[in-house]
Amino acid sequence: MKEITIEELRHWARDTYELIDIRDEGLTMYGMIPGALHIDEKTLEGESCPQVEVIPEGKKLVLYCQMGRRTQELEEVSCLEGRDCYSLCGGYLGYIRTTMEEESNQEDKKQKAEKSIQKKFHKQLFTPFAKACKNYELIQDGDHIAVCISGGKDSMLMAKLFQEIQRHRKMQFDLTFLVMDPGYNKENRALIESNAKALGIPVTIFESTIFDAVDTIEKSPCYICARMRRGYLYSKAKELGCNKIALGHHYDDVIETILMGMLHGGQIQTMMPKLHSTNFEGMELIRPLYLVREADICAWRDYNDLHFLQCACHFTDTCTTCHEDGTTSSKRLETKKLIASLKKDNPYLEANIFKSVENVNLSTVIAYKKDGVRHHFLDEY
């Protein structure tokens, strides 16, 4: 397939071509090129594709994936036969990189992002962030917190919220904005560094070879990768004098994890707001976005015209996200859709799922585990 760059594409009249995003739905949720039509790769390679068939024959088709590799590999796609097709060089990440390079005043972007947290999104973002920190006692005087930044929207916003709460000076604590490079390609690392610079986040970057280590693992590579990354982050944070690491899991992650545990794991458990490390003495994990809704994070991102990574691993074109619970991205997306569907008839559904693990009645539970020991109701019947 012929390649075309963003610069070349801009010289074409917009009505002469159709821009087609072939990534899966999980990735498109993190952003698309404006005006693009979403037709995922599986649909495109099917026996027929109505979305393509309705596009006038005279229009050029410009396809893009995450990094420009998948569109280059498309072969013998029946719905594309006889059409004038192009692969967008660099894919979606190439588009983001080009757009960011053209932005002349990064200080304006930083100020707009911070002001939007203080004003427009204060109730949606800062208030639940501060509430979680207070209710779950996530921050104490004298803490040195490693704010772990993956490059996605959640961790980048978390970093800005930490900067904001530190300005209030109600408690004295230190922050280190920690980025681990587990083997990113140069484009992904450059995007993380560029976003951090634009948002005024002074990151500390260290490198590891985790991606190379999990490349050959066939079963649950995302689970193993996530666990290894956690260990490296703990180790580096402790080396830097930190006593806590902060991760960017939000409210929606929590309720999806609860439901997936029941549906796919046959267990009732939740993602805790804070945990003591079992392998690194004196270290603690905290989740200060615990009460922040994902839709509000997305609204802040879009309002400030920010573009972040979702997954930066070697499998970026085929893997939408990494979860330490071992679930696939498709299962999490499936659960997200299920919750959205059920919410139509019950607006309190999400809150009820969240509260369910706060209102466990042990008198009506057949069995439960505590510190690794299993207790059964017949033990005391």
Side-chain angles (χ1 to χ4, degrees), residues 268-331:
I268 297 176
Q269 63 177 18
T270 189
M271 185 180 281
M272 298 296 287
K274 64 179 181 179
L275 290 167
H276 289 293
S277 172
T278 55
N279 298 316
F280 296 86
E281 187 177 353
M283 294 294 292
E284 196 173 358
L285 179 154
I286 62 173
R287 295 183 168 106
L289 295 184
Y290 205 76
L291 301 178
V292 178
R293 297 306 308 265
E294 184 175 28
D296 294 325
I297 298 174
C298 292
W300 173 79
R301 173 201 64 192
D302 297 341
Y303 175 80
N304 290 288
D305 195 26
L306 299 169
H307 304 279
F308 301 117
L309 293 179
Q310 178 176 7
C311 177
C313 72
H314 289 178
F315 311 106
T316 294
D317 280 335
T318 55
C319 166
T320 55
T321 190
C322 298
H323 301 291
E324 61 190 66
D325 53 16
T327 56
T328 62
S329 59
S330 60
K331 289 299 181 186

Side-chain angles (χ1 to χ4, degrees), residues 103 108-117 121 199 298-307:
E103 293 173 346
D108 286 349
K109 181 175 284 290
K110 171 179 173 289
Q111 290 180 0
K112 181 183 178 184
E114 292 176 350
K115 186 176 180 181
S116 65
I117 289 173
F121 296 101
L199 290 171
C298 292
W300 173 79
R301 173 201 64 192
D302 297 341
Y303 175 80
N304 290 288
D305 195 26
L306 299 169
H307 304 279

Side-chain angles (χ1 to χ4, degrees), residues 82-357:
R83 305 297 295 257
D84 192 9
C85 297
Y86 297 81
S87 168
L88 186 63
C89 183
Y92 180 68
L93 290 183
Y95 161 76
I96 292 175
R97 192 167 58 253
T98 300
T99 302
M100 293 184 71
E101 288 172 353
E102 293 172 347
E103 293 173 346
S104 57
N105 196 331
Q106 291 189 330
E107 183 61 28
D108 286 349
K109 181 175 284 290
K110 171 179 173 289
Q111 290 180 0
K112 181 183 178 184
E114 292 176 350
K115 186 176 180 181
S116 65
I117 289 173
Q118 296 161 0
K119 301 291 185 180
K120 185 176 177 66
F121 296 101
H122 189 274
K123 182 179 178 181
Q124 298 93 326
L125 298 178
F126 185 78
T127 298
F129 175 85
K131 182 179 179 180
C133 290
K134 180 180 179 181
N135 288 2
Y136 301 120
E137 300 177 356
L138 303 183
I139 304 174
Q140 278 87 33
D141 277 318
D143 276 345
H144 186 174
I145 303 169
V147 182
C148 301
I149 298 175
S150 65
K153 67 185 192 317
D154 308 323
S155 60
M156 285 290 190
L157 172 62
M158 178 175 65
K160 296 306 297 178
L161 289 169
F162 263 117
Q163 288 180 327
E164 182 62 25
I165 202 169
Q166 194 176 45
R167 290 191 187 100
H168 290 219
R169 298 186 181 278
K170 290 188 177 181
M171 281 185 287
Q172 296 297 317
F173 61 93
D174 296 320
L175 298 173
T176 293
F177 299 100
L178 195 58
V179 176
M180 181 183 64
D181 181 346
Y184 294 144
N185 61 48
K186 62 179 182 181
E187 292 86 2
N188 285 334
R189 175 155 171 170
L191 180 58
I192 294 172
E193 292 175 333
S194 180
N195 272 325
K197 183 178 179 181
L199 290 171
I201 303 170
V203 294
T204 297
I205 302 177
F206 72 102
E207 298 176 353
S208 72
T209 57
I210 291 177
F211 284 171
D212 289 336
V214 300
D215 261 354
T216 57
I217 297 174
E218 294 183 4
K219 187 177 181 180
S220 303
C222 292
Y223 171 80
I224 295 171
C225 177
R227 301 299 292 181
M228 289 179 69
R229 283 188 285 123
R230 173 84 62 86
Y232 272 90
L233 288 168
Y234 267 128
S235 181
K236 188 64 177 181
K238 191 167 186 176
E239 177 190 319
L240 295 173
C242 302
N243 65 310
K244 293 179 179 178
I245 66 170
L247 301 184
H249 298 114
H250 48 66
Y251 184 97
D252 296 72
D253 287 326
V254 176
I255 61 174
E256 289 160 15
T257 298
I258 294 170
L259 198 54
M260 284 192 299
M262 297 174 66
L263 299 179
H264 303 292
Q267 57 190 348
I268 297 176
Q269 63 177 18
T270 189
M271 185 180 281
M272 298 296 287
K274 64 179 181 179
L275 290 167
H276 289 293
S277 172
T278 55
N279 298 316
F280 296 86
E281 187 177 353
M283 294 294 292
E284 196 173 358
L285 179 154
I286 62 173
R287 295 183 168 106
L289 295 184
Y290 205 76
L291 301 178
V292 178
R293 297 306 308 265
E294 184 175 28
D296 294 325
I297 298 174
C298 292
W300 173 79
R301 173 201 64 192
D302 297 341
Y303 175 80
N304 290 288
D305 195 26
L306 299 169
H307 304 279
F308 301 117
L309 293 179
Q310 178 176 7
C311 177
C313 72
H314 289 178
F315 311 106
T316 294
D317 280 335
T318 55
C319 166
T320 55
T321 190
C322 298
H323 301 291
E324 61 190 66
D325 53 16
T327 56
T328 62
S329 59
S330 60
K331 289 299 181 186
R332 187 163 286 268
L333 184 59
E334 179 184 289
T335 305
K336 191 183 292 287
K337 288 181 176 179
L338 174 61
I339 292 172
S341 175
L342 294 173
K343 184 184 174 183
K344 293 177 183 177
D345 297 321
N346 180 4
Y348 306 106
L349 180 94
E350 293 159 309
N352 287 341
I353 294 174
F354 187 89
K355 291 176 182 176
S356 67
V357 291

